Amino acid sequence: MTDAISFPDLPRSELDRTIEELIARANEVKQSQGRLRALLRATQAVVEEIDLGVVLRRIAEAAVELVDAEYGALGVIAPDGHGLEAFIHVGMAPGAVDRIGHLPEGHGLLGAVIADPIRLERIAEDSRSAGFPAGHPRMDGFLGVPVRVRGAVFGNLYLTNPRRGHFTEEDEQLVQALATSAAYAIDHARILVEARTRERWTTSSAEIAVALADTDAERAYGTLADELISRSDAQLLSILIPGSEPGTIHVAAARGEGSARLDGIDVRAATTLAVDVLDSGTSMIAPPVPAGAEREADPFSLSRGGSTGPAIYIALTDGRVVWGVLVAAREPGRPSFTQTDLEVGIDLGERISVALALARAREDQQRVLVLEDRGRIARDLHDHVIQDIFGTGLELQSLASTAPAKDRRRLDDAVHRLDDVIAQIRKIVFALTPPASDSSASARHRVLDIAADASKALPHPVDVAFSGPVDLFVNGELADDVTAVVRELLSNVIKHSGAADAAVTITVDDTDIRVDVTDDGIGIPAEVHRSGLSNLTARATALGGTMDVTSSANGTRVAWRIPIPDDGGGERE
């Protein structure tokens, strides 16, 4: 037989007390085991790879179970510190939540819990209590602890209405342990989100760069806006550049909600934060603005019901100047942009600028190649083809003067047709290299045109020669001076010399620019008024040069010389 358990002879009342104590201790052990299991479940939820919202709800539920509270809540502060990113409540009926109508704003006790744990038997008796909104259920006992880890505060965890009458120090310790677990979960979740965000936008940046590389400059802004709006969680995206008028900003492209009212318009710079980014080159985050705020809504943000959603402004720079601003906006109620978003946006802006610069450079290179081909063709037509045709025409004119009458008419017709061909070729030359003004053509071409016109009035074509880097040094106002000299001297040859042949030579050496015009005429008659030559001498003197005239019965030579300007160019003050 098994020995029976026996108790010493004790009075009945004392035995009852002993049994009650044993039962109470057993209940305490059972309760402690239940608390331990709840704590373990909450801790397991943190380390499992599941949604953060599920983790936070399990922690809030575990906290309510651990301290046997009627209500519990866990609030997570948004990364930018403006408002709550998440708010999980336990124990409150859906109807009560609807009656309250808004989340806690962190005033009173809830604001104080961010700094230190608070444990109260009566909420109303504490001077920090801000009271409850209409429709809020009655709450008495209170236990709140900050959700923080490594000095960083992520929110608060608080419980009310303990069913055992009051919260204990042990309750506070258990809830603090849970709050630390919640802080680790939030911290790890944000680190993971940041890593995924950076990874996603690194890939997107490369894909956007490829898309821009295949787009011409005219469509680049639209392509960029299309790519960005499809890859981001913004509801409105705008690309802004300086406007053509002072004090304005031009919307190069806009996509998303309300983009139709913005795309392609100019707005006053003073109405948007983008002007600060353009001026400073510093990207920035604009937090949401609640209804009733005095600040006027930015035209590139999203507003609804008087509230304005968050926005981010990214400076677009090529390393030297800020050429534009990228604005991404979210609707009111959406999370604010984070520091990670800002860092990713700055990196994206730099990559976009490089991609656009490469696209423009490639397009410019192609344009230069086309212009070089056109210029080469134009030079060949002007310098060779026209001159050869012109020379042929002069030879036909010479033959016509000695040909029989029946052939002279045919030769004259041929000369007229050659003149028409020259005129057509000149039109083609001007179309290939259209000058904005006479001064935009090179000095070489301008001198050749003057010589071609003068040749029509002489028996033989004017011989033109160039020596040295003429196009490099004879430009701007110096080109005007040189062509004016050539035009005046050839005009004198035609009017007064009776010459058959004339020649123009433009020479540029290490120190001087020289214009030499010679002819085989009768020289300068004594009775000819020399005002034109005097003007050319005065022009040379004003530029620090000289003009020498040598004339005889066998011909005339005029040498006009000026020094090369110190700056090596043809522009003068």
Side-chain angles (χ1 to χ4, degrees):
M1 290 182 61
T2 302
D3 294 337
I5 297 176
S6 61
F7 290 93
D9 294 335
L10 295 173
R12 184 69 183 177
S13 59
E14 188 174 341
L15 180 59
D16 289 342
R17 283 197 305 273
T18 301
I19 292 173
E20 288 174 358
E21 289 177 2
L22 288 173
I23 293 172
R25 289 177 182 176
N27 288 333
E28 289 177 3
V29 170
K30 183 178 180 181
Q31 185 180 19
S32 296
Q33 289 176 340
R35 285 187 161 190
L36 180 60
R37 283 193 295 272
L39 186 60
L40 289 174
R41 283 197 304 273
T43 304
Q44 184 179 5
V46 173
V47 300
E48 287 180 350
E49 192 171 338
I50 58 176
D51 182 76
L52 177 62
V54 176
V55 173
L56 298 180
R57 174 158 294 281
R58 288 185 181 178
I59 289 175
E61 291 171 348
V64 168
E65 182 181 351
L66 278 174
V67 299
D68 197 17
E70 184 178 2
Y71 302 112
L74 195 161
V76 180
I77 301 173
D80 63 354
H82 296 278
L84 295 178
E85 179 183 42
F87 183 74
I88 295 93
H89 54 84
V90 177
M92 193 175 295
V97 176
D98 294 338
R99 285 193 299 273
I100 296 171
H102 62 83
L103 298 177
E105 297 178 355
H107 302 309
L109 283 177
L110 299 186
V113 169
I114 295 296
D116 296 295
I118 297 177
R119 180 159 43 96
L120 303 171
E121 290 195 12
R122 296 286 183 271
I123 293 177
E125 295 175 359
D126 192 279
S127 60
R128 294 167 294 185
S129 175
F132 299 103
H136 200 284
R138 180 180 177 278
M139 293 184 176
D140 255 343
F142 179 87
L143 172 59
V145 298
V147 176
R148 63 187 174 194
V149 64
R150 295 188 294 272
V153 178
F154 294 92
N156 51 29
L157 172 62
Y158 56 94
L159 306 114
T160 60
N161 294 3
R163 291 187 174 88
R164 289 179 285 110
H166 63 278
F167 292 114
T168 66
E169 184 177 352
E170 181 184 359
D171 293 335
E172 183 178 325
Q173 292 173 351
L174 287 170
V175 173
Q176 280 185 310
L178 270 180
T180 301
S181 298
Y184 272 110
I186 297 168
D187 190 29
H188 290 167
R190 288 181 178 174
I191 291 173
L192 180 61
V193 168
E194 289 179 6
R196 289 175 176 172
T197 298
R198 294 180 189 277
E199 179 184 9
R200 177 166 59 92
W201 279 109
T202 298
T203 302
S204 295
S205 297
E207 293 172 349
I208 291 171
V210 171
L212 291 176
D214 295 331
T215 305
D216 57 60
E218 185 177 347
R219 295 184 293 115
Y221 295 128
T223 299
L224 175 59
D226 290 334
E227 292 286 338
L228 290 173
I229 195 68
S230 66
R231 299 169 187 272
S232 71
D233 58 356
Q235 281 75 53
L236 174 63
L237 191 136
S238 307
I239 299 173
L240 315 177
I241 58 177
S244 56
E245 297 293 330
T248 64
I249 289 180
H250 179 68
V251 184
R255 299 291 186 272
E257 183 179 333
S259 60
R261 63 181 172 83
L262 296 172
D263 199 10
I265 71 169
D266 288 350
V267 300
R268 288 189 302 109
T271 63
T272 172
L273 294 174
V275 68
D276 297 330
V277 179
L278 271 176
D279 291 341
S280 67
T282 302
S283 303
M284 62 182 293
I285 295 172
V289 180
E294 295 181 0
R295 195 180 82 190
E296 186 177 343
D298 193 296
F300 304 109
S301 61
L302 289 172
S303 299
R304 189 171 292 111
S307 299
T308 301
I312 187 170
Y313 298 76
I314 303 298
L316 302 174
T317 174
D318 59 7
R320 296 177 293 108
V321 296
V322 180
W323 60 265
V325 179
L326 169 65
V327 185
R330 292 172 179 161
E331 59 187 9
R334 294 290 304 278
S336 294
F337 291 92
T338 66
Q339 184 64 29
T340 300
D341 294 323
L342 186 64
E343 293 170 359
V344 168
I346 292 172
D347 180 69
L348 176 65
E350 293 173 351
R351 292 171 183 264
I352 288 172
S353 296
V354 171
L356 286 174
L358 289 175
R360 292 192 191 102
R362 186 187 65 255
E363 195 166 292
D364 289 343
Q365 184 182 29
Q366 293 172 346
R367 188 180 296 111
V368 167
L369 291 175
V370 171
L371 291 176
E372 286 179 349
D373 283 343
R374 290 181 176 180
R376 177 181 55 78
I377 294 170
R379 286 193 302 271
D380 289 344
L381 289 173
H382 189 283
D383 297 350
H384 302 296
V385 177
I386 288 179
Q387 299 304 316
D388 288 345
I389 294 175
F390 190 80
T392 302
L394 289 175
E395 290 182 6
L396 292 175
Q397 276 185 325
S398 178
L399 289 174
S401 63
T402 59
K406 63 176 182 177
D407 295 328
R408 189 179 306 153
R409 187 180 303 105
R410 295 175 60 190
L411 290 172
D412 288 341
D413 290 342
V415 170
H416 289 313
R417 287 198 298 273
L418 290 178
D419 287 340
D420 290 339
V421 170
I422 290 174
Q424 292 298 323
I425 294 176
R426 280 183 172 170
K427 289 181 181 179
I428 295 172
V429 169
F430 292 142
L432 291 172
T433 55
S437 64
D438 183 59
S439 62
S440 66
S442 71
R444 185 187 301 266
H445 282 180
R446 293 167 68 184
V447 169
L448 286 171
D449 285 338
I450 294 170
D453 288 338
S455 297
K456 297 176 182 178
L458 295 172
H460 301 128
V462 176
D463 186 25
V464 181
F466 300 94
S467 178
V470 175
D471 290 336
L472 179 62
F473 287 97
V474 184
N475 50 53
E477 293 187 16
L478 282 184
D480 295 339
D481 291 323
V482 168
T483 54
V485 170
V486 172
R487 183 179 291 107
E488 176 66 24
L489 292 176
L490 286 180
S491 176
N492 288 341
V493 170
I494 294 169
K495 293 177 181 178
H496 308 297
S497 72
D501 293 297
V504 177
T505 303
I506 312 294
T507 305
V508 176
D509 57 22
D510 293 340
T511 58
D512 295 332
I513 298 171
R514 294 195 304 276
V515 178
D516 293 294
V517 176
T518 61
D519 66 72
D520 61 356
I522 62 174
I524 302 175
E527 68 275 9
V528 171
H529 189 57
R530 298 194 175 202
S531 59
L533 294 177
S534 298
N535 290 338
L536 296 184
T537 301
R539 187 189 291 265
T541 302
L543 296 173
T546 60
M547 189 176 82
D548 298 321
V549 180
T550 304
S551 184
S552 69
N554 297 321
T556 301
R557 178 180 181 274
V558 179
W560 190 87
R561 182 195 65 80
I562 60 170
I564 293 176
D566 292 338
D567 60 1
E571 298 296 337
R572 299 198 301 272
E573 295 295 333

